[in-house]
């Protein structure tokens, strides 16, 4: 997912990557420090130009919740902060070993769907997002978003309750023995009117008009020390 997002032109300054290093550093890995996504070994998912923000034992449930809710310590660098507001659209992608309403962190700690649901509720109350696209790829993934209750969230999972989620060169549910799911009841927009790119960058809403607008004479002249409180959208005409 990291390289997919980077290929779309999203800079690392807009990405927060949490990487447990459990596969790359596992003693059973025949190629230490490398992870490939296919038998051909064409692409090393670690490789060069991968900017990791939280690594190893920094990847904990507590740090993840603090990151979402903005409750990080005062000495936390900007690269480890989710600097969003009420106009921000956020993509959250999670993968790993999971089960019915839980996902493991570091194989000894778990986060539940209720933990994430409550974190999203805090984010909404604190005006930390506009819309969220939540994606999770794990066994029984679709159980992780059933507890969500905050508005403007669309959730996607890779498998139903009781199903495993494996990596295959196919999207045929009969071959992979799992069924992807999506939850849209919390999302106010229609999916057919929603672009995936809406969650990969900011955009300026612009209103076009064919009707002439009469401006007062000297509308742009300001008196000394006068402050213009007119919002940009009100005077930007295209």
């Amino acid at each position: 997912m990291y390289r997919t997002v980077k290929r779309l032109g999203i800079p690392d300054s807009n990405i927060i990557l949490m990487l447990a290093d459990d596969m790359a550093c596992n003693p059973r890995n025949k190629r230490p420090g490398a992870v490939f996504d296919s038998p051909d070994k064409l692409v090393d998912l670690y490789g060069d130009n991968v900017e990791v923000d939280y690594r190893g034992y920094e990847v904990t449930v507590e740090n993840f919740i603090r990151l979402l809710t903005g409750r990080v310590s005062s000495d936390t660098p900007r690269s480890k902060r989710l600097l969003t507001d009420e106009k921000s659209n956020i993509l959250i992608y999670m993968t790993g070993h999971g089960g019915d309403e839980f996902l493991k962190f570091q194989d000894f700690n778990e986060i539940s769907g209720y933990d994430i649901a409550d974190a999203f509720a805090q984010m909404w109350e604190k005006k930390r997002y506009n819309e969220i696209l939540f994606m999770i790829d794990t066994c029984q993934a679709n159980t992780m978003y059933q507890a969500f209750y905050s508005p403007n969230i669309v959730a996607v999972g890779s498998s139903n309750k009781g199903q495993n989620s494996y990596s295959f060169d196919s999207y045929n549910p009969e071959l992979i023995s799992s069924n992807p799911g999506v939850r849209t009841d919390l999302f106010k927009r229609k999916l057919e009117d929603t672009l995936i790119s809406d969650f990969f960058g900011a955009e300026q809403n612009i209103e076009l008009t064919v009707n002439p607008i009469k401006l007062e004479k000297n509308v742009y002249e300001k008196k000394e020390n006068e402050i213009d409180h007119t919002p940009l959208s009100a005077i930007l005409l295209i």
Side-chain angles (χ1 to χ4, degrees), residues 20-233:
D21 285 339
D22 51 347
M23 290 187 292
C25 299
N26 193 296
R28 293 175 295 178
N29 188 353
K30 296 181 180 180
R31 294 174 175 81
V35 176
F36 300 92
D37 64 346
S38 68
D40 299 329
K41 301 181 179 62
L42 298 178
V43 179
D44 180 4
L45 298 182
Y46 273 55
D48 299 325
N49 301 320
V50 177
E51 186 173 308
V52 182
D53 301 291
Y54 290 80
R55 183 186 294 276
Y57 291 111
E58 290 183 314
V59 183
T60 64
V61 173
E62 179 181 355
N63 282 343
F64 179 65
I65 296 297
R66 287 184 178 276
L67 173 66
L68 292 179
T69 58
R71 295 177 176 175
V72 296
S73 60
S74 58
D75 59 346
T76 302
R78 289 178 59 88
S79 62
K80 292 187 175 184
R81 295 173 182 259
L82 185 62
L83 303 174
T84 55
D85 57 27
E86 70 275 11
K87 297 181 180 179
S88 301
N89 289 352
I90 306 172
L91 165 67
I92 298 176
Y93 175 80
M94 305 181 73
T95 186
H97 176 61
D100 187 2
E101 297 184 343
F102 75 87
L103 176 70
K104 281 197 171 185
F105 274 58
Q106 300 289 357
D107 207 33
F108 58 79
N109 203 352
E110 297 176 357
I111 188 171
S112 72
Y114 295 94
D115 295 329
I116 300 176
D118 290 341
F120 286 170
Q122 292 182 49
M123 293 176 69
W124 179 254
E125 290 296 328
K126 297 170 69 174
K127 302 184 184 301
R128 289 180 58 79
Y129 77 87
N130 173 48
E131 294 175 341
I132 289 178
L133 171 58
F134 178 81
M135 301 178 67
I136 182 165
D137 182 8
T138 182
C139 297
Q140 308 188 65
N142 300 343
T143 64
M144 286 294 290
Y145 55 69
Q146 298 301 323
F148 292 178
Y149 55 90
S150 301
N152 296 359
I153 298 176
V154 57
V156 180
S158 60
S159 55
N160 285 329
K161 182 177 180 178
Q163 294 181 336
N164 294 321
S165 184
Y166 296 124
S167 177
F168 285 91
D169 294 330
S170 171
Y171 294 101
N172 187 334
E174 295 183 358
L175 295 178
I176 63 179
S177 301
S178 63
N179 299 91
V182 59
R183 183 179 176 189
T184 61
D185 59 294
L186 299 172
F187 199 63
K188 65 181 180 181
R189 289 196 289 158
K190 295 181 179 179
L191 286 187
E192 55 266 28
D193 298 330
T194 304
L195 301 177
I196 190 68
S197 56
D198 291 347
F199 299 90
F200 289 147
E203 61 181 33
Q204 174 73 49
N205 292 325
I206 299 174
E207 294 185 8
L208 303 179
T209 178
V210 295
N211 300 319
I213 298 178
K214 184 178 180 180
L215 299 178
E216 296 180 4
K217 186 178 181 180
N218 299 328
V219 66
Y220 294 112
E221 293 183 3
K222 303 297 177 186
K223 298 179 181 179
E224 187 177 359
N225 298 326
E226 181 180 357
I227 300 176
D228 185 3
H229 294 286
T230 306
L232 178 60
S233 59

